[in-house]
Amino acid sequence: MTTHEESVLDWPMPRSCPMLPPDRYAQLRSVPPQQVRLDDGTLAWIVSRYQDVREAMMNPALSVDNTLPGFPQRLPIPPVPRAQSFMRMDPPEHTRLRRMVMPELNKAAAKSYWPMVQDLVDGLLDTLSGQPHPVDLLPTFAFPIPALTIARILGVPDEDADVFQKQTMALTTCDPGSDAGAEAFGSLMAYLDDLVRSKEAEPADDMISRLVRRYVATGELVHEDLVAMVFLVLVAGFETTANQITLSVLMLLRQPQHAQAMLRGPEELDRTIDELLRYWSIPQDNQVRVAARDTELGGVPVRAGEGVVFAIPAANHDECVFPDAARFDPGRDARSHLAFGHGAHYCPGAPLAKMELQIALPALFRRFPGLRLAGDFADLSFRHDTVVYGLDALPVTW
């Protein structure tokens, strides 16, 4: 990879406004893919235009295998083969394993989970209504919803959900390759290993048990791969959804007219959620690949072994696709956003995440019509240095 070192931008990039992507992304969209310097000093290509990102996500020359040389390590998870299941696999193995779990996460499955999630949300709101306020919505609402939802789907006891919250947060807030991240990864994998073994010994009526009966018992899936699959479902569906709920509430508190419009019906709700997903684009720094062979991105040659970064917030704020992109506008059609990815690696848990948002957001604003920030917006602490964008706390009152 050749470059003029003095002109290379550092990545991740700082935000001048916590409500918007980094300013530099607008500049990057005006030129072909450029090289950036990662926080470990290595170089990678950054793809920021919507169409370029969309095409790159479908480029078979770009690999998600984090054990390959040159892969940009952004998550604080050791690059252990198969440790992250099909998230870090290429076809055909990715296709084989993904097909096993999709019936548990598709639209039909999400619809079947609706009553369970509704009861969970109602219970959290009942508890909130009896607490003195102000309260922090992160530990009392935003985090428990995905944590308990996934725990119940997998067959994890409710009393262990707190373990998931703490260890998953530790995993996603640590520096890549740090000792703390490796420790959190090891602890969580050990717990899940024991959980899967218990389901293999005594299957019940839950996702893990169904996978045991369908695939482990037939020899199509080995124990270790099932543990990795469960780990992927848990981690991918907890931290992202929790932060999306939190930032969505913040946006609707700052623009209450849209909160009221969201409550008018399912069409308004769905448009609001798609726009919230586009606007925030919370997978800010975790969509990365490595070129498994020579290829081309946006007209620029990329050599085998060179890392590639997908700037999802930049793509979702591309004015060529979303005019006046910096404005939160639930009236626009934002269904083509890339917050869940695109192509073979489109997020398998997208229907579940959207369902949780469809339940949580209107329920919160109906229960507390006077909901408002407790304190000044300027005092909020945003999580700029993590691979998933979010807040450290969201204090509210009513």
Side-chain angles (χ1 to χ4, degrees):
M1 184 183 293
T2 60
T3 185
H4 297 290
E5 288 290 329
E6 67 277 5
S7 65
V8 175
L9 298 173
D10 290 332
W11 185 85
M13 296 174 180
R15 298 175 184 236
S16 61
C17 171
M19 300 290 289
L20 293 170
D23 296 340
R24 288 282 193 180
Y25 284 167
Q27 172 190 341
L28 288 172
R29 283 194 302 266
S30 68
V31 295
Q34 302 290 299
Q35 297 165 353
V36 291
R37 182 182 295 102
L38 308 184
D39 43 18
D40 65 357
T42 60
L43 298 178
W45 295 95
I46 187 166
V47 188
S48 53
R49 295 171 178 166
Y50 177 92
Q51 194 58 40
D52 288 348
V53 172
R54 186 180 169 95
E55 291 176 1
M57 285 179 165
M58 300 183 68
N59 187 334
L62 299 183
S63 174
V64 299
D65 186 349
N66 67 338
T67 65
L68 293 179
F71 188 90
Q73 300 293 345
R74 287 300 302 152
L75 291 173
I77 300 173
V80 179
R82 309 183 77 84
Q84 297 178 63
S85 189
F86 56 85
M87 177 182 178
R88 292 301 176 209
M89 294 180 187
D90 301 316
E93 191 69 348
H94 167 269
T95 307
R96 183 181 76 87
L97 293 176
R98 182 186 172 97
R99 283 176 178 166
M100 293 182 184
V101 76
M102 282 308 299
E104 303 288 341
L105 300 173
N106 61 21
K107 289 183 179 179
K111 185 176 180 180
S112 72
Y113 301 142
W114 188 290
M116 178 265 289
V117 178
Q118 185 71 65
D119 288 344
L120 170 60
V121 169
D122 289 343
L124 291 170
L125 292 175
D126 288 343
T127 301
L128 266 179
S129 65
Q131 289 185 356
H133 42 92
V135 297
D136 180 1
L137 276 187
L138 268 72
T140 58
F141 188 71
F143 283 179
I145 291 172
L148 291 173
T149 294
I150 293 172
R152 291 176 183 178
I153 290 172
L154 293 176
V156 176
D158 279 0
E159 57 267 23
D160 288 347
D162 186 56
V163 174
F164 286 150
Q165 289 194 59
K166 291 179 179 178
Q167 292 182 335
T168 306
M169 284 188 65
L171 198 61
T172 54
T173 57
C174 292
D175 293 332
S178 68
D179 292 340
E183 182 179 348
F185 172 78
S187 297
L188 194 52
M189 289 297 279
Y191 176 87
L192 294 177
D193 183 79
D194 290 341
L195 178 65
V196 171
R197 290 188 188 281
S198 72
K199 302 295 182 181
E200 290 170 341
E202 296 183 35
D205 184 20
D206 52 56
M207 175 179 166
I208 296 176
S209 298
R210 286 189 288 272
L211 291 171
V212 166
R213 284 191 290 264
R214 292 171 188 163
Y215 302 112
V216 177
T218 63
E220 296 177 72
L221 189 66
V222 298
H223 169 85
E224 291 75 15
D225 279 349
L226 179 53
V227 173
M229 189 180 291
V230 172
F231 170 80
L232 170 59
V233 171
L234 172 65
V235 174
F238 164 61
E239 182 76 359
T240 51
T241 304
N243 282 291
Q244 185 65 55
I245 291 173
T246 307
L247 290 171
S248 297
V249 172
L250 174 63
M251 177 62 78
L252 295 172
L253 289 177
R254 287 174 61 81
Q255 300 194 24
Q257 74 276 19
H258 294 312
Q260 292 304 308
M262 171 189 71
L263 301 179
R264 291 176 189 153
E267 183 177 345
E268 290 84 352
L269 174 61
D270 286 347
R271 292 177 76 92
T272 300
I273 289 173
D274 280 328
E275 176 67 351
L276 286 164
L277 289 163
R278 178 204 71 84
Y279 185 91
W280 286 114
S281 301
I282 62 171
Q284 59 173 358
D285 295 330
N286 65 0
Q287 294 296 309
V288 293
R289 303 283 193 273
V290 66
R293 56 184 182 272
D294 291 353
T295 187
E296 185 179 282
L297 297 176
V300 175
V302 175
R303 297 174 182 170
E306 294 182 344
V308 178
V309 171
F310 298 155
I312 303 299
N316 279 340
H317 281 250
D318 190 332
E319 296 280 343
C320 294
V321 182
F322 305 105
D324 199 10
R327 181 168 63 93
F328 176 67
D329 177 16
R332 80 168 84 237
D333 184 354
R335 288 175 295 178
S336 60
H337 68 78
L338 299 175
F340 290 124
H342 182 66
H345 288 277
Y346 182 83
C347 176
L352 180 62
K354 290 193 71 172
M355 181 266 289
E356 292 176 64
L357 290 164
Q358 288 168 336
I359 294 174
L361 295 179
L364 177 67
F365 282 90
R366 283 196 177 101
R367 181 68 69 95
F368 303 110
L371 194 71
R372 62 188 186 277
L373 274 178
D376 295 330
F377 172 81
D379 293 332
L380 294 177
S381 175
F382 288 80
R383 300 173 62 196
H384 291 276
D385 298 327
T386 53
V387 294
V388 176
Y389 196 54
L391 283 164
D392 289 320
L394 182 59
V396 298
T397 190
W398 52 90

